[in-house]
Amino acid sequence: MEECSALGLAKSIGVIECSAELLDYATIAPAVNQVEMHPLLQQRKLREFCAEKGIHVSAYSPLGGKGAIWGSNAVFDRLGPNQPDS
């Protein structure tokens, strides 16, 4: 992606699930880091690090996934045994 950026083919670089060690190797800092984040996994240290470096954090979460301890699984329970779990 850094080569694409250098060639003008990408305006910015985004990464997924990357830790602080990425900047040890990267010559261009990512603009966005997408990470799993929800009430039970708040990623405080990573968010603080990204804020210091000017990296936007984009969160994704398996809210409503079967077996989550928050919310209701009523919809999944109504699917019946013939439906896939994912």
Side-chain angles (χ1 to χ4, degrees):
M1 287 306 301
E2 289 182 339
E3 187 176 333
C4 288
S5 181
L7 293 171
L9 300 174
K11 291 182 180 181
S12 57
I13 296 173
V15 294
I16 300 172
E17 295 287 345
C18 286
S19 63
E21 290 83 28
L22 172 69
L23 294 183
D24 292 340
Y25 304 99
T27 58
I28 300 172
V32 179
N33 186 7
Q34 184 180 45
V35 297
E36 180 179 0
M37 194 178 314
H38 48 75
L40 298 178
L41 183 62
Q42 296 181 12
Q43 305 273 25
R44 285 191 177 115
K45 288 182 183 180
L46 182 61
R47 286 187 292 130
E48 289 170 2
F49 173 81
C50 287
E52 289 172 7
K53 301 297 182 184
I55 301 170
H56 175 78
V57 174
S58 176
Y60 71 86
S61 174
L63 292 174
K66 189 166 184 169
I69 64 168
W70 58 86
S72 171
N73 288 334
V75 172
F76 296 100
D77 294 337
R78 290 185 202 149
L79 289 175
N82 296 327
Q83 299 295 323
D85 287 337
S86 55

